Amino acid sequence: MRSPSQLGAAALLVLALSACTGGTPSPAPPTSSAGAVQSAAPVSLETGTDVGNGRPAVSNDGLMVRRRAVIAVHPAAGAEPGGPRARLEQTAAASGIVLSDIPPDVLEPAILEHLAPELILALPAGSTGEDAEKLAELAFGPEGSYPGVEHVHVASVLVHDLQFSVAAADPAALARSVAAEGILSDALGNYGTTLDSGALKVTYTGPLLSDLLVESVRIGMARGAGVKPADVTLAPRSATGEGVDMSLEPEPAPEPEPSPGDSGTHSHDAGSDDAIAPTPGSEESGH
């Protein structure tokens, strides 16, 4: 479940979008970027399954929720940027795999607290965790070492894969208006737009969105188009492939409680399937 602060922020966003009539334009949606760093450190390659950021209340599932395999990299301290990302992308390209940026919030909070990846890339839809593990091993070596990488975490995560669509006399003008108001960048972060004949389509692939945030997007798009929120249709980005029934998904594993006497360093339960072991021969002291 989301924390009270997250739910409160979402509720305020819906109220603000419902009552907003203008204001100072917000910047256009940010483009996705991911930093990477390089230095010598052993690689610890681990696999796991993650089910999203705190599991918000989600009723928009089925083909609108997909499993995606991701590779998250925690760089070594003091390394130079660029190396791990370039190596991973070159290795993927040699195998005909196209990687895409995805927000780190698709990972569980417990993993994020430990890993805080500066680089996280998603494999194409339909790829498995095993595919991601093989790619990571090709790029960084099987339990070997690669300059700049401290940890590599391979996971299968749940993402929303959505398409919002609304009729508009001038889709381009509507897209500019929505971007200037910051509606979608606030609720979705990164998203794509398609200017169809007589319609604006917005696509999103990223961390699971609560029903509240989904409705806030529909309200904002509807206001810009001068229609009702019900006129903003919501559909999967693709009608093919395998979706996810959220009612059958187990709850994410809770974050381990700090052990008594913990002096501030992060505790990682060795019994957890998603725990990431420290680099052999070294002690872990945080991020």
mmCIF file of all heavy atoms in Angstrom, residues 3 73-74 90 121 127 129-130 145 173 186 205 210 218 230 244-245 252 254 264 268 281 287:
data_model
loop_
_atom_site.group_PDB
_atom_site.id
_atom_site.type_symbol
_atom_site.label_atom_id
_atom_site.label_comp_id
_atom_site.label_asym_id
_atom_site.label_seq_id
_atom_site.Cartn_x
_atom_site.Cartn_y
_atom_site.Cartn_z
ATOM 1 N N SER A 3 2.106 4.918 1.180
ATOM 2 C CA SER A 3 2.141 5.592 2.464
ATOM 3 C C SER A 3 1.110 6.704 2.489
ATOM 4 O O SER A 3 0.658 7.181 1.440
ATOM 5 C CB SER A 3 3.534 6.191 2.689
ATOM 6 O OG SER A 3 3.749 7.217 1.765
ATOM 7 N N VAL A 73 21.609 -1.158 -12.159
ATOM 8 C CA VAL A 73 23.042 -1.141 -11.876
ATOM 9 C C VAL A 73 23.344 -0.108 -10.805
ATOM 10 O O VAL A 73 22.937 1.055 -10.919
ATOM 11 C CB VAL A 73 23.851 -0.828 -13.157
ATOM 12 C CG1 VAL A 73 25.345 -0.762 -12.846
ATOM 13 C CG2 VAL A 73 23.583 -1.875 -14.230
ATOM 14 N N HIS A 74 24.034 -0.531 -9.774
ATOM 15 C CA HIS A 74 24.538 0.388 -8.744
ATOM 16 C C HIS A 74 26.023 0.586 -9.011
ATOM 17 O O HIS A 74 26.810 -0.354 -8.914
ATOM 18 C CB HIS A 74 24.321 -0.200 -7.353
ATOM 19 C CG HIS A 74 24.799 0.685 -6.244
ATOM 20 N ND1 HIS A 74 24.197 1.877 -5.940
ATOM 21 C CD2 HIS A 74 25.833 0.551 -5.382
ATOM 22 C CE1 HIS A 74 24.829 2.442 -4.919
ATOM 23 N NE2 HIS A 74 25.827 1.661 -4.579
ATOM 24 N N GLN A 90 25.577 -1.765 -25.820
ATOM 25 C CA GLN A 90 26.317 -2.387 -26.921
ATOM 26 C C GLN A 90 26.105 -3.897 -26.946
ATOM 27 O O GLN A 90 25.923 -4.502 -28.009
ATOM 28 C CB GLN A 90 27.805 -2.065 -26.784
ATOM 29 C CG GLN A 90 28.157 -0.623 -27.097
ATOM 30 C CD GLN A 90 29.559 -0.254 -26.637
ATOM 31 O OE1 GLN A 90 30.310 -1.106 -26.138
ATOM 32 N NE2 GLN A 90 29.926 1.006 -26.804
ATOM 33 N N LEU A 121 17.441 -0.188 -16.870
ATOM 34 C CA LEU A 121 16.945 -0.312 -18.229
ATOM 35 C C LEU A 121 16.025 -1.521 -18.321
ATOM 36 O O LEU A 121 16.247 -2.544 -17.653
ATOM 37 C CB LEU A 121 18.101 -0.478 -19.215
ATOM 38 C CG LEU A 121 19.061 0.720 -19.337
ATOM 39 C CD1 LEU A 121 20.277 0.343 -20.179
ATOM 40 C CD2 LEU A 121 18.348 1.914 -19.951
ATOM 41 N N SER A 127 10.238 -10.247 -22.801
ATOM 42 C CA SER A 127 11.504 -10.786 -22.304
ATOM 43 C C SER A 127 11.311 -11.291 -20.881
ATOM 44 O O SER A 127 10.469 -10.800 -20.133
ATOM 45 C CB SER A 127 12.593 -9.718 -22.329
ATOM 46 O OG SER A 127 12.820 -9.238 -23.639
ATOM 47 N N GLY A 129 13.013 -12.716 -16.987
ATOM 48 C CA GLY A 129 14.119 -12.457 -16.072
ATOM 49 C C GLY A 129 15.363 -13.222 -16.473
ATOM 50 O O GLY A 129 16.492 -12.744 -16.304
ATOM 51 N N GLU A 130 15.174 -14.415 -17.018
ATOM 52 C CA GLU A 130 16.318 -15.205 -17.483
ATOM 53 C C GLU A 130 17.027 -14.501 -18.642
ATOM 54 O O GLU A 130 18.261 -14.498 -18.723
ATOM 55 C CB GLU A 130 15.847 -16.596 -17.912
ATOM 56 C CG GLU A 130 16.985 -17.527 -18.316
ATOM 57 C CD GLU A 130 16.492 -18.915 -18.711
ATOM 58 O OE1 GLU A 130 15.309 -19.212 -18.471
ATOM 59 O OE2 GLU A 130 17.301 -19.694 -19.242
ATOM 60 N N SER A 145 34.149 -9.309 -12.659
ATOM 61 C CA SER A 145 34.291 -7.900 -12.315
ATOM 62 C C SER A 145 34.223 -7.074 -13.585
ATOM 63 O O SER A 145 34.614 -7.521 -14.656
ATOM 64 C CB SER A 145 35.616 -7.647 -11.582
ATOM 65 O OG SER A 145 36.700 -7.966 -12.417
ATOM 66 N N ALA A 173 -2.526 21.413 -30.640
ATOM 67 C CA ALA A 173 -2.737 22.503 -29.685
ATOM 68 C C ALA A 173 -3.080 21.944 -28.309
ATOM 69 O O ALA A 173 -2.626 22.463 -27.286
ATOM 70 C CB ALA A 173 -3.851 23.425 -30.181
ATOM 71 N N ASP A 186 3.245 15.858 -14.072
ATOM 72 C CA ASP A 186 3.040 15.708 -12.627
ATOM 73 C C ASP A 186 2.565 14.304 -12.278
ATOM 74 O O ASP A 186 3.030 13.698 -11.317
ATOM 75 C CB ASP A 186 2.011 16.729 -12.120
ATOM 76 C CG ASP A 186 2.577 18.136 -12.035
ATOM 77 O OD1 ASP A 186 3.814 18.276 -12.095
ATOM 78 O OD2 ASP A 186 1.782 19.079 -11.912
ATOM 79 N N THR A 205 4.359 3.963 -20.074
ATOM 80 C CA THR A 205 4.860 2.704 -19.523
ATOM 81 C C THR A 205 5.750 3.049 -18.352
ATOM 82 O O THR A 205 6.761 3.742 -18.514
ATOM 83 C CB THR A 205 5.653 1.896 -20.566
ATOM 84 O OG1 THR A 205 4.803 1.565 -21.660
ATOM 85 C CG2 THR A 205 6.200 0.615 -19.954
ATOM 86 N N SER A 210 -1.967 4.526 -9.258
ATOM 87 C CA SER A 210 -3.205 4.309 -8.517
ATOM 88 C C SER A 210 -4.391 4.730 -9.374
ATOM 89 O O SER A 210 -4.265 5.521 -10.318
ATOM 90 C CB SER A 210 -3.194 5.121 -7.223
ATOM 91 O OG SER A 210 -3.273 6.514 -7.510
ATOM 92 N N ARG A 218 -7.182 11.714 -16.656
ATOM 93 C CA ARG A 218 -8.386 11.839 -17.485
ATOM 94 C C ARG A 218 -9.063 13.190 -17.262
ATOM 95 O O ARG A 218 -9.528 13.833 -18.212
ATOM 96 C CB ARG A 218 -9.361 10.704 -17.159
ATOM 97 C CG ARG A 218 -8.798 9.326 -17.467
ATOM 98 C CD ARG A 218 -9.755 8.216 -17.105
ATOM 99 N NE ARG A 218 -10.854 8.130 -18.054
ATOM 100 C CZ ARG A 218 -11.898 7.327 -17.907
ATOM 101 N NH1 ARG A 218 -11.985 6.558 -16.813
ATOM 102 N NH2 ARG A 218 -12.843 7.287 -18.808
ATOM 103 N N ALA A 230 -15.176 11.142 -18.679
ATOM 104 C CA ALA A 230 -15.600 9.848 -19.233
ATOM 105 C C ALA A 230 -15.321 9.753 -20.732
ATOM 106 O O ALA A 230 -15.292 8.650 -21.301
ATOM 107 C CB ALA A 230 -17.089 9.619 -18.964
ATOM 108 N N VAL A 244 -1.796 -8.980 -16.641
ATOM 109 C CA VAL A 244 -1.696 -9.417 -15.247
ATOM 110 C C VAL A 244 -3.009 -9.130 -14.539
ATOM 111 O O VAL A 244 -3.541 -8.023 -14.617
ATOM 112 C CB VAL A 244 -0.547 -8.685 -14.516
ATOM 113 C CG1 VAL A 244 -0.521 -9.045 -13.037
ATOM 114 C CG2 VAL A 244 0.796 -9.005 -15.177
ATOM 115 N N ASP A 245 -3.524 -10.132 -13.833
ATOM 116 C CA ASP A 245 -4.695 -9.962 -12.971
ATOM 117 C C ASP A 245 -4.178 -9.588 -11.590
ATOM 118 O O ASP A 245 -3.620 -10.419 -10.869
ATOM 119 C CB ASP A 245 -5.485 -11.266 -12.916
ATOM 120 C CG ASP A 245 -6.761 -11.153 -12.084
ATOM 121 O OD1 ASP A 245 -6.884 -10.177 -11.307
ATOM 122 O OD2 ASP A 245 -7.615 -12.052 -12.201
ATOM 123 N N PRO A 252 3.763 -7.361 -2.026
ATOM 124 C CA PRO A 252 5.226 -7.302 -1.980
ATOM 125 C C PRO A 252 5.732 -7.663 -0.593
ATOM 126 O O PRO A 252 5.047 -7.449 0.411
ATOM 127 C CB PRO A 252 5.531 -5.830 -2.293
ATOM 128 C CG PRO A 252 4.289 -5.280 -2.899
ATOM 129 C CD PRO A 252 3.157 -6.068 -2.336
ATOM 130 N N PRO A 254 7.482 -7.257 2.823
ATOM 131 C CA PRO A 254 7.709 -6.040 3.613
ATOM 132 C C PRO A 254 9.188 -5.748 3.753
ATOM 133 O O PRO A 254 10.025 -6.647 3.703
ATOM 134 C CB PRO A 254 7.080 -6.379 4.969
ATOM 135 C CG PRO A 254 7.134 -7.868 5.040
ATOM 136 C CD PRO A 254 6.956 -8.359 3.630
ATOM 137 N N GLY A 264 22.584 2.794 12.106
ATOM 138 C CA GLY A 264 22.281 3.707 11.003
ATOM 139 C C GLY A 264 22.603 3.120 9.646
ATOM 140 O O GLY A 264 22.160 3.622 8.637
ATOM 141 N N HIS A 268 20.203 -5.643 5.626
ATOM 142 C CA HIS A 268 19.693 -6.449 4.524
ATOM 143 C C HIS A 268 19.618 -7.887 4.982
ATOM 144 O O HIS A 268 20.636 -8.533 5.236
ATOM 145 C CB HIS A 268 20.597 -6.318 3.299
ATOM 146 C CG HIS A 268 20.793 -4.892 2.912
ATOM 147 N ND1 HIS A 268 19.781 -4.102 2.428
ATOM 148 C CD2 HIS A 268 21.877 -4.091 3.001
ATOM 149 C CE1 HIS A 268 20.239 -2.882 2.208
ATOM 150 N NE2 HIS A 268 21.491 -2.863 2.549
ATOM 151 N N GLY A 281 34.407 -9.647 0.163
ATOM 152 C CA GLY A 281 35.633 -9.064 0.669
ATOM 153 C C GLY A 281 35.493 -7.656 1.153
ATOM 154 O O GLY A 281 36.478 -7.001 1.493
ATOM 155 N N HIS A 287 24.659 3.415 0.798
ATOM 156 C CA HIS A 287 24.617 3.501 -0.664
ATOM 157 C C HIS A 287 25.979 3.889 -1.179
ATOM 158 O O HIS A 287 26.604 4.794 -0.674
ATOM 159 C CB HIS A 287 23.583 4.553 -1.087
ATOM 160 C CG HIS A 287 22.215 4.215 -0.577
ATOM 161 N ND1 HIS A 287 21.578 3.038 -0.878
ATOM 162 C CD2 HIS A 287 21.376 4.897 0.224
ATOM 163 C CE1 HIS A 287 20.390 3.014 -0.297
ATOM 164 N NE2 HIS A 287 20.254 4.131 0.375
#
